[in-house]
Amino acid sequence: MAKRVGIEVSQAIAEAVKMANVDVVAAYPITPQTHIVEHLAQLVADGELDAAYIPVESEHSAMSACLGASAVGARTFTATAGQGLELMHEVLYVASSMRLPVVMTVANRALSAPLSVWCDHSDAMAIRDTGWIQIFAENGQEVIDEVLCAFRIAEDQRVLLPVIVYLDGFLLSHMIEPIYMPEQDEVDKFIPPYQHLLPLNPDKPVTMGAFAPPFIYSETKKAQEVNLTAAKEVILQCWDEFGNIFQRHYSPVDCYRAEDATVLLLTMGSFGETATVAIDKMRNECRNVGLVNLRLWRPFPFAEIRQAVSKAEVLIILDRALSFGGPAGPVCSEIKAALYNEDKKPKVISFVGGLGGRDITPDGFEQIINRGIEISQTGSKQEYEMYGVRE
Amino acid sequence: MEKNAIYIPRVVPRRIREKYAVQAPQLVTKEEYLASGHRFCIGCGEALAVRLACKALGRNSIIVSPTGCTEISTSLIPYTSWCLPWIHTLFENSAAVASGVEAGLKVMMRKGKRPAQDIDVIVMAGDGGTCDIGLQALSGALERGHNFLYICFDNEAYMNTGIQRSSATPFGASTTTSPAGKVSIGQVTWKKNMPAIVAAHDIPYVATASPSYPFDLMDKVAKGVATKGPAYIHILSVCPTGWRSATDLTVRIGSLAVETGIFPLYEIENGKYKLSLDLPQRRPVIDYLKLQGRLRHLSEETVKQIQQRVDKEYAKLMEKVA
Ligand SMILES: Cc1ncc(C[n+]2csc(CCOP(=O)(O)OP(=O)(O)O)c2C)c(N)n1
Ligand code: SF4
Ligand SMILES: [Mg+2]
């Protein structure tokens, strides 16, 4: 039976990666990801994890080394945050396009300038379209569970795509939480060995990364898109099986007291945990509100989102990133697009908040919900409102 | 070389060659690892150098190439010229990709996830991918001590994108981004000394080579891969398209670069410099410059300046050799 231990989430990630028996870790330190890679380096140094730890000189090289390792068939892991994720940007496309199932955790961090080491989702939004499977975790337990699932999903022969598990920087990465750590034999059973179909191998030479003239480029992209979309089925299966074994159940979209709610708040990441406190309080006051938490960011769960919000009258979306000069926060834009052609859909109200580590308390969530309801009745001159900003 | 003993020796070692009077071509394996039908330009020195290097490497190799002439000329979906396992990902990251390949192979063999096998990891990159945009990744990989061979095919500009200058472009050369004009001679900076930069990392083996000296080139490649730890070979690759030189003069121009002392052939083994070819008398640099459209516009004054610089650099090298 799994034990529940008090452990820092970053350290627990490293322990989970160890249990997944990775072969290669290539990483470059950046706050607030550091504890993950430091602990991994220690596990390798202590001989507890038989892996190559490549202390590369940049995140660009971290992801590049992961490509090389994955191309020879190694199970490969890295972690980063904020600026590091941006520096990886072009390499991320290559990982997904060359079907190299690297697994990465990103401790979300705001982007410079001004420099900020604290959490928001700007880093994740900037790499949204890189073709990775992307999962936002809400709490420490979920991070660990999703990291284990990530290896299985990424390396599934029907998928072969890289996976990012996002955890809010500091808010999750540096928390000490009670976490159920699985037993090694459970993990061994849950994650089968990685078998690259055609690794780099002198006995059977392959050419990887040939260039594509216009007559074939579109076809390669179409194939990739079909593949990423189809990965959703495998993700659902993986979560089902995870639930059967570990009794913790995950779905692309989580609903909290949302069934009969006329007003819904939608969040991603650790916001969800705090928001439930506000929802409980408002429910106690007989307010008909509920919460939707979006977990699977890519492939985007269109059907699940539509279903989750179909009965609500007002949907308030809180983004933790800005789309400068754009229509609203990036999550809100996507959800609006997903709902636009629906016959029955809620009015969508957009908020941006929690940038660069700014906290939002349960009271804050209540204010956001109340203001959202007000806007739904009176309208607003702005495309979105920024919560809690001094002007 | 001994370690791949099941294969026919790719290059007969110099000590044996020197003993017998046999025709040179018979000493090189017939095996081709770079298939014909590639799309390098006619007379391309880089194509020649890649082909020779592959012969010296043999089959148990994994090649990593960045974006550039070699990559673009040898791969185009659905074709490939590579008979060796080969990977291209991006322009500036080949040394990092090779780090992952090398580390991945090693750990997987240790864990029994791949059969134990002697596999060499080799980067084949251009001067842009090496001296400029890829310098950081290369420095990192050298410092970390990965067991790999990095070969820079230096054609002295970004040729793949249309002859733009790089830090390896020689002083005075006219390129599309260092064009000679009414008030400029062309490139106004001196060529970056990449072998010296690599040598400063204290790696066990550094060498310069030229396909105009095929046996020397193949010897060095064979030595480079046999080295434990990082090895680096800088190969001057004449580019008729970018240098605006006659396609049938590629080998000649490559020799002239050596004979003038502009591109001396040497090795640095564990910090010890050794000349590969003694030049009792160097030819004047003009013999080399005048055959190339990119350098033909230079005034007598500039040619003199270049001659002085070459004399000085050559003397510096001689000091290190001595
Ligand atoms: C990040 C990035 N910047 C620029 C380019 C465009 N680019 C591709 S190859 C190349 C030049 C290659 O020069 P070099 O490395 O000397 O190789 P050569 O083609 O001369 O053999 C450039 C500038 C790119 N592919 N990626
Ligand atoms: S441009 Fe120069 S280096 Fe490139 S293929 Fe042509 S001749 Fe060779
Ligand atoms: Mg070049």
Side-chain angles (χ1 to χ4, degrees):
Chain A
M1 247 319 270
K3 291 179 294 287
R4 202 172 191 203
V5 291
I7 185 170
E8 191 198 52
V9 174
S10 290
Q11 198 165 337
I13 292 173
E15 293 291 335
V17 170
K18 180 191 100 177
M19 285 189 188
N21 191 15
V22 296
D23 302 310
V24 174
V25 178
Y28 192 81
I30 179 168
T31 307
Q33 151 267 36
T34 41
H35 291 184
I36 304 170
V37 296
E38 286 166 3
H39 195 62
L40 273 167
Q42 191 66 52
L43 289 171
V44 173
D46 290 341
E48 284 187 45
L49 168 60
D50 187 4
Y53 184 96
I54 315 180
V56 282
E57 80 300 329
S58 76
E59 288 86 353
H60 196 285
S61 286
M63 188 47 65
S64 299
C66 287
L67 300 185
S70 192
V72 294
R75 178 169 287 165
T76 308
F77 176 83
T78 188
T80 191
Q83 304 307 130
L85 190 63
E86 298 314 294
L87 193 55
M88 281 181 187
H89 196 153
E90 64 163 349
V91 199
L92 298 173
Y93 285 91
V94 179
S96 60
S97 307
M98 289 176 69
R99 311 288 297 273
L100 298 170
V102 178
V103 170
M104 166 157 71
T105 53
V106 172
N108 293 107
R109 162 175 165 164
L111 297 178
S112 293
L115 186 143
S116 164
V117 296
W118 291 279
C119 174
D120 71 31
H121 295 166
S122 312
D123 53 358
M125 292 306 143
I127 62 117
R128 184 189 65 181
D129 296 336
T130 51
W132 284 56
I133 292 171
Q134 296 168 60
I135 297 166
F136 273 87
E138 195 180 326
N139 56 47
Q141 183 69 59
E142 203 181 312
V143 174
I144 303 316
D145 294 348
E146 295 303 354
V147 165
L148 295 173
C149 289
F151 286 104
R152 184 172 149 141
I153 294 165
E155 296 168 4
D156 189 299
Q157 299 290 347
R158 295 164 292 174
V159 178
L160 293 177
L161 286 171
V163 179
I164 293 175
V165 178
Y166 292 112
L167 61 150
D168 284 350
F170 288 116
L171 301 172
L172 292 181
S173 61
H174 286 53
M175 284 302 129
I176 294 174
E177 287 194 27
I179 290 175
Y180 286 105
M181 294 303 288
E183 297 293 336
Q184 185 63 55
D185 61 324
E186 291 174 319
V187 176
D188 292 343
K189 259 184 265 157
F190 184 65
I191 311 176
Y194 169 40
Q195 285 290 335
H196 192 301
L197 293 174
L198 278 174
L200 291 171
N201 182 1
D203 295 336
K204 204 174 176 191
V206 289
T207 288
M208 287 190 191
F211 91 101
F215 91 87
I216 196 75
Y217 185 83
S218 303
E219 282 70 18
T220 67
K221 292 296 114 175
K222 171 82 184 181
Q224 191 180 345
E225 166 65 1
V226 166
N227 187 241
L228 177 57
T229 311
K232 199 177 101 187
E233 269 319 299
V234 182
I235 297 169
L236 295 182
Q237 277 174 22
C238 176
W239 281 341
D240 266 354
E241 200 165 319
F242 187 90
N244 291 339
I245 300 170
F246 298 100
Q247 305 308 316
R248 288 186 295 278
H249 303 276
Y250 296 106
S251 52
V253 174
D254 259 356
C255 293
Y256 181 75
R257 306 187 82 165
E259 199 35 39
D260 60 338
T262 49
V263 177
L264 287 176
L265 175 68
L266 186 144
T267 59
M268 270 200 325
S270 67
F271 268 159
E273 292 255 300
T274 325
T276 55
V277 181
I279 299 291
D280 285 344
K281 175 167 177 268
M282 293 175 85
R283 279 279 181 176
N284 286 342
E285 295 160 359
C286 297
R287 306 280 304 278
N288 208 2
V289 296
L291 177 72
V292 175
N293 184 56
L294 180 53
R295 177 174 293 115
L296 183 61
W297 177 231
R298 283 293 184 275
F300 192 80
F302 289 98
E304 288 84 350
I305 277 287
R306 286 178 187 137
Q307 216 239 319
V309 305
S310 64
K311 288 196 233 131
E313 286 162 22
V314 180
L315 173 62
I316 301 161
I317 298 174
L318 177 59
D319 262 283
R320 202 159 198 163
L322 257 178
S323 167
F324 292 108
V331 178
C332 184
S333 296
E334 301 247 323
I335 288 171
K336 274 185 179 168
L339 297 178
Y340 185 77
N341 285 338
E342 297 298 291
D343 292 332
K344 185 165 170 354
K345 56 187 170 250
K347 203 160 201 174
V348 178
I349 313 294
S350 172
F351 282 91
V352 171
L355 298 185
R358 180 74 61 87
D359 212 10
I360 301 185
T361 61
D363 282 351
F365 284 104
E366 196 178 340
Q367 283 166 28
I368 289 171
I369 294 170
N370 285 331
R371 175 68 187 140
I373 295 169
E374 194 179 313
I375 296 173
S376 75
Q377 289 155 0
T378 61
S380 168
K381 283 196 223 70
Q382 298 157 272
E383 294 294 331
Y384 66 88
E385 287 190 9
M386 211 188 228
Y387 170 74
V389 69
R390 293 184 298 275
E391 290 183 6
Chain B
M1 294 240 316
E2 286 76 7
K3 58 186 188 163
N4 290 329
I6 41 170
Y7 299 111
I8 321 153
R10 277 100 58 170
V11 192
V12 175
R14 182 184 291 185
R15 67 190 142 78
I16 297 178
R17 278 203 313 271
E18 280 167 354
K19 275 198 209 143
Y20 301 95
V22 253
Q23 262 193 329
Q26 294 173 353
L27 299 173
V28 183
T29 175
K30 269 188 174 165
E31 199 92 38
E32 295 290 351
Y33 300 102
L34 179 73
S36 56
H38 54 67
R39 288 176 317 285
F40 287 97
C41 307
I42 296 171
C44 175
E46 190 159 308
L48 186 56
V50 170
R51 177 173 169 237
L52 291 170
C54 286
K55 280 177 184 279
L57 291 170
R59 173 178 318 157
N60 269 8
S61 310
I62 291 177
I63 313 290
V64 181
S65 290
T67 316
C69 271
T70 294
E71 171 260 336
I72 221 87
S73 306
T74 57
S75 80
L76 177 122
I77 297 174
Y79 306 110
T80 181
S81 307
W82 290 97
C83 309
L84 299 172
W86 179 85
I87 183 170
H88 158 256
T89 66
L90 291 163
F91 183 26
E92 65 279 57
N93 66 347
S94 288
V97 173
S99 305
V101 168
E102 185 258 2
L105 287 174
K106 200 155 68 186
V107 70
M108 289 183 75
M109 287 179 199
R110 186 170 73 217
K111 290 166 96 169
K113 292 187 179 184
R114 272 184 83 123
Q117 221 179 340
D118 210 337
I119 301 177
D120 297 317
V121 181
I122 304 98
V123 175
M124 295 194 174
D127 49 302
T130 303
C131 314
D132 295 340
I133 200 165
L135 182 59
Q136 173 180 321
L138 172 58
S139 176
L142 296 175
E143 172 270 324
R144 291 190 300 273
H146 293 278
N147 186 19
F148 77 126
L149 168 64
Y150 191 107
I151 307 179
C152 173
F153 296 92
D154 180 6
N155 53 19
E156 303 196 314
Y158 305 153
M159 293 310 177
N160 170 50
T161 36
I163 325 173
Q164 294 88 13
R165 63 87 73 183
S166 77
S167 60
T169 301
F171 182 82
S174 183
T175 72
T176 52
T177 52
S178 65
K182 289 197 183 97
V183 295
S184 176
I185 59 156
Q187 175 94 338
V188 292
T189 50
W190 296 97
K191 185 179 174 77
K192 188 185 269 185
N193 187 346
M194 195 58 205
I197 291 169
V198 171
H201 289 76
D202 272 339
I203 64 166
Y205 187 75
V206 180
T208 63
S210 157
S212 301
Y213 302 82
F215 285 111
D216 181 67
L217 185 151
M218 289 186 286
D219 279 345
K220 285 169 175 168
V221 171
K223 213 163 173 180
V225 278
T227 302
K228 285 264 166 291
Y232 177 88
I233 302 178
H234 197 97
I235 300 183
L236 187 72
S237 310
V238 177
C239 164
T241 307
W243 296 12
R244 284 180 279 134
S245 57
T247 53
D248 60 342
L249 288 185
T250 294
V251 174
R252 183 78 206 105
I253 292 173
S255 302
L256 282 168
V258 175
E259 289 167 13
T260 52
I262 287 176
F263 190 82
L265 299 180
Y266 59 91
E267 292 175 293
I268 314 171
E269 259 181 285
N270 298 312
K272 242 182 101 57
Y273 280 71
K274 189 172 144 224
L275 263 197
S276 314
L277 191 73
D278 244 338
L279 296 172
Q281 195 161 15
R282 281 181 290 121
R283 297 174 73 123
V285 295
I286 188 67
D287 289 3
Y288 173 73
L289 306 180
K290 70 182 180 199
L291 296 176
Q292 305 171 44
R294 63 172 180 160
L295 294 162
R296 215 176 279 138
H297 62 283
L298 299 178
S299 67
E300 246 176 68
E301 193 51 39
T302 312
V303 172
K304 221 166 103 191
Q305 216 182 334
I306 294 173
Q307 184 67 62
Q308 280 165 359
R309 171 85 178 196
V310 169
D311 293 347
K312 196 176 103 202
E313 290 299 313
Y314 199 81
K316 262 172 33 190
L317 179 67
M318 285 304 125
E319 270 171 37
K320 287 179 183 157
V321 169

